[in-house]
């Protein structure tokens, strides 16, 4: 019926690992580990930076895959956006995401070739209470593996 359709359309759609917001006791987590391209990465960064601006902002970002010959340029563009918008801490995972890093040596930045290297480190234990954390990369980077640790599940 028309009424059933209207009710169904009014319901929020929750797509796992797509800008999933989790208000945790120690941080605000934005998990978007399903897909990443220059437009979605820019949009996510802009949303994340405007969300509760008085809090510390930490990004855990990975490569954007399947971008073709311009991949390095697109990663440089995201690095420029991050520098412009600002951040308190940045962790990157993958081959090209190192290009997101700033030249400012005073910023808290770390890079890992693979997500398992990140998980083997103690970097996630250094998250400041109350931080707004963005986790975003192409799905093949497997950043969803960090979500249980961020949630305090292990």
């Amino acid at each position: 019926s028309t009424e059933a359709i209207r009710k169904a359309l009014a319901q929020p759609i929750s797509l796992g690992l797509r800008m999933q917001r989790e208000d945790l006791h120690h941080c605000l987590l934005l998990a978007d580990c399903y897909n990443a391209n220059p437009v979605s990465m820019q949009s996510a960064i802009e949303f994340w930076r405007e969300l509760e601006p008085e809090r510390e902002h930490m990004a855990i970002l990975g490569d954007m895959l399947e971008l073709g010959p311009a991949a390095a340029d697109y990663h440089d563009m995201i690095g420029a956006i991050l520098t412009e918008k600002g951040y308190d801490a940045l962790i990157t995972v993958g081959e090209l995401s190192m290009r997101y890093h700033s030249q400012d040596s005073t910023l808290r930045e770390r890079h890992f070739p693979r997500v398992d290297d990140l998980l083997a480190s103690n970097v996630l234990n250094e998250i400041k209470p109350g931080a707004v954390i963005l986790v975003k990369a192409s799905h093949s980077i497997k950043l969803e593996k960090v979500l249980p640790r961020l949630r305090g599940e292990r």
Side-chain angles (χ1 to χ4, degrees):
S1 72
T2 303
E3 186 57 28
I5 293 170
R6 187 180 342 270
K7 285 182 181 179
L9 289 174
Q11 296 298 313
I13 296 174
S14 177
L15 302 171
L17 300 178
R18 291 177 176 99
M19 283 310 276
Q20 179 178 315
R21 179 184 172 140
E22 298 181 43
D23 290 292
L24 304 173
H25 71 282
H26 62 288
C27 71
L28 171 54
L29 176 61
L30 299 173
D32 191 344
C33 309
Y34 186 78
N35 189 19
N37 60 60
V39 173
S40 71
M41 188 71 84
Q42 179 177 358
S43 296
I45 291 166
E46 289 172 350
F47 177 79
W48 161 74
R49 279 306 298 150
E50 292 171 10
L51 187 63
E52 303 196 32
E54 70 285 353
R55 295 169 74 170
E56 177 164 294
H57 282 70
M58 173 186 211
I60 303 172
L61 304 176
D63 289 1
M64 301 176 288
L65 301 176
E66 301 175 11
L67 297 178
D73 294 333
Y74 287 129
H75 284 80
D76 288 342
M77 180 187 83
I78 296 304
I81 291 166
L82 281 165
T83 298
E84 176 190 328
K85 299 295 180 187
Y87 54 88
D88 298 294
L90 174 64
I91 297 170
T92 55
V93 177
E95 292 180 28
L96 290 172
S97 60
M98 175 69 98
R99 301 175 87 92
Y100 301 158
H101 288 254
S102 159
Q103 300 303 316
D104 184 348
S105 62
T106 65
L107 293 170
R108 295 190 338 254
E109 299 179 327
R110 293 287 302 272
H111 179 76
F112 298 90
R114 299 173 312 119
V115 72
D116 291 335
D117 299 322
L118 166 58
L119 290 170
S121 78
N122 290 324
V123 170
L124 296 177
N125 298 336
E126 300 170 9
I127 295 171
K128 301 237 170 125
V132 179
I133 303 171
L134 172 63
V135 181
K136 183 161 179 62
S138 286
H139 192 251
S140 295
I141 299 300
K142 300 184 183 345
L143 275 188
E144 69 274 6
K145 288 178 155 187
V146 305
L147 299 178
R149 179 89 51 88
L150 293 172
R151 293 177 183 130
E153 296 169 2
R154 52 177 151 127

